[in-house]
Amino acid sequence: MNWILVSSVSGFLGVALGAFGAHGLKDRLDAYALGVWQTAVHYQMWHALALFGVGLLLRLPGGGDARFANQAGWGFFLGTFVFSGSLYLLALSGVKTFGAITPIGGVAFLFGWFALARLALKL
C-alpha cells in the first residue's frame, strides 16, 4: 500500500470536510453535531499525518520491519474510515447507532499506534 498517497487523500478530505463543516453546516447542525463533526475531522487529520510518517518509514533505509509499518498503516486507515466516518454519519443523521460503531475505529487507531511502537522497538 502506498501510505503517502493514502495520507495525502485523507489529509485532503480532512481539510475539505473541515471547511464544509465550518462553512456549509454551521447553520444546519446544532452545537453537539458540529462538535461531533469537528472531532471526526481532528482525528482524521492527525492520522493522515501518522500515515505520512508510516509511508516515510517504509522508504527510508533501515526503516524497520515493513510488516509492523504496514500494520500501523492499516490500523490508521481503518481507524479513520470507521471512527471518523461513523462520526460524520452521526453528525449528519443524528442516528445514535453510528456512535456505537465509533469505538471500533478507536480500537483500530490503538492497534496502529501499538504496531508503530513495535516498529520503533525494532529500529
Side-chain angles (χ1 to χ4, degrees), residues 3-121:
W3 295 118
I4 293 176
L5 176 61
V6 173
S7 165
S8 65
V9 170
S10 184
F12 176 90
L13 290 172
V15 170
L17 289 167
F20 177 65
H23 302 290
L25 296 177
K26 70 178 178 179
D27 295 329
R28 297 176 186 218
L29 298 180
D30 62 18
Y32 171 77
L34 283 174
V36 168
W37 188 273
Q38 289 173 342
T39 298
V41 170
H42 180 86
Y43 276 81
Q44 181 169 350
M45 291 305 296
W46 278 109
H47 288 89
L49 290 173
L51 281 166
F52 185 76
V54 167
L56 287 180
L57 282 170
L58 283 167
R59 284 165 175 71
L60 291 175
D65 190 331
R67 175 181 44 151
F68 293 136
N70 281 310
Q71 287 175 357
W74 280 108
F76 298 149
F77 172 74
L78 292 173
T80 299
F81 185 78
V82 176
F83 184 92
S84 293
S86 65
L87 289 180
Y88 291 132
L89 291 171
L90 171 61
L92 291 174
S93 71
V95 176
K96 301 292 183 191
T97 305
F98 290 122
I101 299 167
T102 306
I104 297 168
V107 170
F109 282 147
L110 292 171
F111 174 80
W113 288 109
F114 180 75
L116 193 59
R118 290 179 65 191
L119 174 64
L121 291 171

